[in-house]
Amino acid sequence: MATGDDPRPAVIDPTGPKKEFVEADDEISDVGDLNYEDEYPSYTTSLSSGVFAYKFENGRRYHAYRDENYYLPNDDEEKGRLDLFHQILTLSCNGDLHLAPIGPDVQKVLDLGTGTGTWAIDMGDTYTSAEILGNDLSPIQPNLVPPNVRFEVDDIEDDWVYRSKFDYIHARYLAGSIKDWPKLVRQAFEFTKPGGWAEFQDFEMQFYTTNGEFKPGCPLDRWCTESIDGLNSVGLVASPGPKLKQWLKDAGFVNVQEKIIPIPVGAWPKDKRLKTVGALNFHQFFEGVDGMSLRIFTDMKGWKPEELRVFLADVRKDLKNPRLHAQHNFYVVYAQKPE
């Protein structure tokens, strides 16, 4: 849904995928002043105490439920990063919370892997007559939410047991969190109402450049390669983005549409919107790379924490190079269940 009072859904040319290109700006903005604070209070509920039996490793907090299925922390630092990432991805989609043409009268919405719940809350504010359900492995969502929004702790890779189907199912940024993507998409198909929509938004993890100094083998490139290898070694899909379109087709969805959006890291693009996206993305990556790396490199790859710290210092040095011009692709794929 477009922002403001415009009720029209975002429209994508159905003739094929759209891919944007990022043009570099000669003047690099300073992103050192960027700050982001968690807008919402911590979540409290009557869930069993086991869900809150968080684990602590290397100074970071991790969730308890199905701990082996997720590699990122769930502490306040990570929650702030995820909320910032929500802003980055929404701005990358021109301010739209979704690209599927779900219409203004959507009634039941499911948000898979809702994280901090920010997307679900924004949807609840936008579609006040809809029921929004978000699920996640961690109960880290706020308790002050619109009356039409609720959250549950669940593993979306389990068999779904919902009693009714949804008009719209949404999933975003599940890279590195899912082992059986075809099953997940099949379940989304099963629990979408005939004529309803599903939308998956996710990444190709590997960075690249079209006009910068990013090169294969540089610290940032090696970070990607090692991260992908670590996630793949435990059966997790590191880069689901390029595969989403075919998975939705294989599940039975029709009217499948794909948009490929390059997301820069750094304030080097000339376009003002992309410059903001890149600046915010630099901030979340520069500040959050420790949390993104700890379990992958120490548990999956066998690195020592001190070895990782030295390596991440090189990664951050790479990121601060204004001529690096690194970016990676974000895939938005939406499709309809046949009537």
Side-chain angles (χ1 to χ4, degrees), residues 38 40-45 61 76 79 139-144:
D38 192 355
Y40 303 108
S42 61
Y43 177 79
T44 56
T45 187
R61 190 188 75 186
D76 287 344
K79 287 163 62 179
I140 58 172
Q141 301 79 37
N143 57 355
L144 297 177

Side-chain angles (χ1 to χ4, degrees), residues 202-230:
D202 231 306
F203 282 98
E204 183 175 10
M205 196 172 188
Q206 194 72 52
F207 287 95
Y208 67 95
T209 188
T210 59
N211 56 9
E213 295 182 358
F214 177 87
K215 292 181 175 60
C218 71
L220 181 58
D221 181 65
R222 187 185 173 200
W223 181 87
C224 291
T225 301
E226 295 284 354
S227 296
I228 291 170
D229 182 68

Side-chain angles (χ1 to χ4, degrees), residues 77-296:
E77 184 177 347
E78 176 65 6
K79 287 163 62 179
R81 187 188 74 84
L82 290 176
D83 279 344
L84 177 56
F85 217 38
H86 166 72
Q87 303 300 328
I88 292 168
L89 299 182
T90 303
L91 185 57
S92 297
C93 293
N94 294 310
D96 295 327
L97 291 171
H98 59 85
L99 298 186
I102 59 177
D105 298 323
V106 62
Q107 294 299 306
K108 294 182 68 68
V109 175
L110 175 63
D111 185 28
L112 302 174
T114 194
T116 61
T118 308
W119 181 90
I121 292 167
D122 285 353
M123 283 290 287
D125 286 333
T126 302
Y127 295 93
T128 56
S129 64
E131 297 177 9
I132 316 294
L133 172 63
N135 58 31
D136 201 88
L137 290 171
S138 277
I140 58 172
Q141 301 79 37
N143 57 355
L144 297 177
V145 300
N148 58 334
V149 176
R150 64 185 179 93
F151 300 110
E152 66 178 6
V153 173
D154 197 10
D155 185 348
I156 59 176
E157 292 209 77
D158 284 345
D159 292 337
W160 297 6
V161 292
Y162 297 113
R163 295 180 180 178
S164 60
K165 297 186 178 182
F166 298 88
D167 301 293
Y168 174 56
I169 295 179
H170 170 269
R172 185 178 69 177
Y173 189 31
L174 298 179
S177 305
I178 303 297
K179 291 185 176 181
D180 193 344
W181 271 93
K183 176 186 175 182
L184 178 66
V185 177
R186 286 195 304 269
Q187 294 206 97
F189 180 83
E190 179 184 351
F191 283 88
T192 299
K193 293 179 181 178
W197 294 86
E199 181 167 348
F200 288 82
Q201 303 183 2
D202 231 306
F203 282 98
E204 183 175 10
M205 196 172 188
Q206 194 72 52
F207 287 95
Y208 67 95
T209 188
T210 59
N211 56 9
E213 295 182 358
F214 177 87
K215 292 181 175 60
C218 71
L220 181 58
D221 181 65
R222 187 185 173 200
W223 181 87
C224 291
T225 301
E226 295 284 354
S227 296
I228 291 170
D229 182 68
L231 291 167
N232 288 344
S233 72
V234 295
L236 295 167
V237 181
S239 295
K243 302 175 183 179
L244 292 173
K245 184 177 181 180
Q246 191 59 50
W247 284 331
L248 267 70
K249 286 183 175 180
D250 291 345
F253 286 103
V254 297
N255 299 327
V256 181
Q257 304 297 325
E258 176 187 68
K259 184 175 183 180
I260 306 172
I261 305 172
I263 297 186
V265 182
W268 52 268
K270 287 185 176 181
D271 178 84
K272 290 184 178 180
R273 179 180 59 85
L274 290 175
K275 181 184 290 292
T276 301
V277 168
L280 295 174
N281 198 27
F282 169 88
H283 182 70
Q284 74 85 20
F285 196 91
F286 191 89
E287 298 296 332
V289 69
D290 293 82
M292 288 185 271
S293 307
L294 278 166
R295 277 196 165 179
I296 294 177

Side-chain angles (χ1 to χ4, degrees), residues 272-336:
K272 290 184 178 180
R273 179 180 59 85
L274 290 175
K275 181 184 290 292
T276 301
V277 168
L280 295 174
N281 198 27
F282 169 88
H283 182 70
Q284 74 85 20
F285 196 91
F286 191 89
E287 298 296 332
V289 69
D290 293 82
M292 288 185 271
S293 307
L294 278 166
R295 277 196 165 179
I296 294 177
F297 283 80
T298 60
D299 292 355
M300 303 175 193
K301 299 289 295 182
W303 290 34
K304 296 180 180 179
E306 54 271 23
E307 181 183 8
L308 176 60
R309 283 194 293 270
V310 172
F311 174 62
L312 292 184
D314 290 335
V315 173
R316 287 191 173 95
K317 184 178 179 180
D318 232 7
L319 288 169
K320 289 163 63 174
N321 177 4
R323 293 173 293 278
L324 192 71
H325 293 188
Q327 57 190 334
H328 55 168
N329 287 338
F330 182 57
Y331 288 74
V332 179
V333 182
Y334 65 85
Q336 189 174 30

